[in-house]
Amino acid sequence: MCVVAVPNDRIAEKVIYLLIYHPLLIMFGWSYMRTIFQPTGQVPRKFYLTKQDSDRLEREADEEVQRSILINFAKDLPIQNRTTIGLPRYCEKCKCIKPDRCHHCSVCGYCVLKMDHHCPWVNSCVSFTSYKFFVLFLGYALIYCLYVAATTLKYFIQFWTGGSDKGMGKFHILFLFFVAIMFGISLISLFGYHLYLTFHNRSTLESFRAPVFQTGADKDGFSLGTYSNFMEVFGDNKLKWFLPVFTSKGDGVFFPTKTAPALSYQTMGNTPSFGDGVTYPTRTIDLDSDGLLGDRQRWMEEGDTAGEGPSAVSNSSVQLVSYLED
């Protein structure tokens, strides 16, 4: 009987590969599943107008009365974001005042707390409740791809240099190596971008459209410093930072800011501006409408399903909105 001896170093190599591979696979799959199945954060009931108030708002033709209804309803709510004229952000579809960093998703069909974007990879919104899982998913996916590429590199080189048989099975190595490299390259930029957003305490939507405060639009309004920003997403327990368990700080409704909360809903036409990074940041271009219910804001967030989008918006803006929602 012929017995083929397997070198001990090859056995040790395979054992090491397997011991590293399976934990990576488990963490990758775990974070991906949590991102998919984590319930999306939705607006608490106290932000929804009563049927009486919503019916009155829809029937009312006087814009000043509409303003008064919204301001009176929102005066006790913990909100700092608003439209560019200082009014509470109102969603006509959900009939609610939007909490800070909340946006309406046209795919999900409701307002989502701290909405980052609607992700086709997970078929759900990446939001306050799932953002940590999404970042971990990107990170573990990147490490997984790099590991697969690194462990197949030697066999890939042997295939091209003639150091091994060129049977059909070797094409599996080629396919695996190229797929791992291609996905790894795309994940490097995506994971790096979301690390940047995490360290600056921004969402994808806020990076394109700065949130508006009493002092004006400020893309860094929620930034508390790099470490504090990271802690807000990943929590205080360092042992759980890299585990797909929910440890994010807060309730998804109220977020601390670098400046004191505004005390009233005054218009912003006379707000002083002294440049970025100071108490009164420079007012930048914002896509929210100066109209009462924010027609342009609703169109940008919800999509122009009825063909009623503003004619002045360029094709590049339409492509940008499509990217943010998809």
Side-chain angles (χ1 to χ4, degrees):
M1 182 173 65
C2 178
V3 178
V4 179
V6 179
N8 290 332
D9 59 338
R10 293 295 299 276
I11 295 178
E13 178 185 0
K14 292 178 180 179
V15 170
I16 293 173
Y17 282 175
L18 290 175
L19 289 177
I20 299 176
Y21 173 82
H22 284 95
L24 281 178
L25 179 62
I26 291 173
M27 297 304 294
F28 165 67
W30 186 7
S31 58
Y32 185 47
M33 291 298 103
R34 287 304 304 268
T35 306
I36 293 176
F37 295 110
Q38 181 71 13
T40 305
Q42 299 185 35
V43 179
R45 291 304 309 171
K46 66 180 180 180
F47 286 85
Y48 286 83
L49 270 67
T50 63
K51 189 176 188 310
Q52 180 181 0
D53 287 337
S54 62
D55 290 344
R56 181 187 174 196
L57 187 65
E58 292 177 358
R59 293 194 306 266
E60 186 58 57
D62 190 335
E63 188 168 298
E64 290 301 321
V65 176
Q66 290 181 327
R67 293 171 186 262
S68 177
I69 294 173
L70 291 179
I71 291 175
N72 288 334
F73 184 84
K75 63 182 179 181
D76 295 325
L77 296 176
I79 57 175
Q80 300 180 68
N81 290 161
R82 58 208 62 195
T83 64
T84 52
I85 59 172
L87 289 174
R89 299 182 308 135
Y90 175 69
C91 177
E92 279 189 324
K93 289 190 174 182
C94 296
K95 302 185 186 304
C96 70
I97 301 295
K98 296 179 184 179
D100 293 346
R101 316 184 81 173
C102 173
H103 297 277
H104 185 93
C105 176
S106 60
V107 181
C108 296
Y110 52 79
C111 288
V112 178
L113 295 181
K114 194 189 175 184
M115 177 180 172
D116 187 88
H117 67 287
H118 188 93
C119 181
W121 289 18
V122 300
N123 194 32
S124 180
C125 271
V126 176
S127 61
F128 169 75
T129 58
S130 60
Y131 190 68
K132 175 190 174 182
F133 306 140
F134 180 73
V135 175
L136 289 178
F137 157 61
L138 294 179
Y140 284 122
L142 174 59
I143 296 174
Y144 181 83
C145 289
L146 295 179
Y147 178 77
V148 170
T151 53
T152 56
L153 178 60
K154 178 176 70 173
Y155 305 101
F156 175 79
I157 295 175
Q158 288 178 356
F159 176 85
W160 286 108
T161 57
S164 62
D165 296 334
K166 296 186 178 182
M168 291 300 296
K170 301 302 179 181
F171 285 102
H172 297 166
I173 298 295
L174 290 178
F175 177 78
L176 185 61
F177 180 79
F178 279 121
V179 168
I181 287 295
M182 288 188 295
F183 273 96
I185 291 174
S186 62
L187 284 168
I188 286 176
S189 59
L190 188 58
F191 179 58
Y193 176 66
H194 279 280
L195 281 182
Y196 172 84
L197 294 180
T198 299
F199 290 138
H200 288 79
N201 207 338
R202 300 178 198 165
S203 66
T204 300
L205 287 172
E206 290 167 351
S207 68
F208 286 93
R209 179 179 57 200
V212 180
F213 299 86
Q214 186 66 43
T215 53
D218 185 2
K219 61 184 179 181
D220 292 319
F222 293 106
S223 180
L224 307 173
T226 301
Y227 184 71
S228 296
N229 294 339
F230 181 85
M231 296 269 285
E232 187 170 300
V233 175
F234 286 83
D236 298 320
N237 192 336
K238 296 181 180 180
L239 297 177
K240 296 181 179 179
W241 277 357
F242 304 110
L243 293 178
V245 294
F246 185 80
T247 55
S248 299
K249 300 171 68 175
D251 57 3
V253 174
F254 175 79
F255 297 90
T257 59
K258 64 180 182 180
T259 56
L263 299 178
S264 63
Y265 290 104
Q266 63 186 32
T267 59
M268 296 162 50
N270 298 322
T271 300
S273 176
F274 302 111
D276 291 336
V278 294
T279 303
Y280 299 97
T282 302
R283 179 174 177 179
T284 57
I285 298 175
D286 191 281
L287 297 178
D288 284 358
S289 170
D290 281 347
L292 174 61
L293 300 181
D295 291 332
R296 286 184 63 188
Q297 171 184 309
R298 294 196 308 276
W299 182 78
M300 294 296 287
E301 290 180 2
E302 301 167 7
D304 188 16
T305 57
E308 298 175 354
S311 59
V313 178
S314 64
N315 290 333
S316 61
S317 298
V318 174
Q319 294 171 356
L320 172 59
V321 175
S322 176
Y323 164 76
L324 293 177
E325 291 186 341
D326 295 337

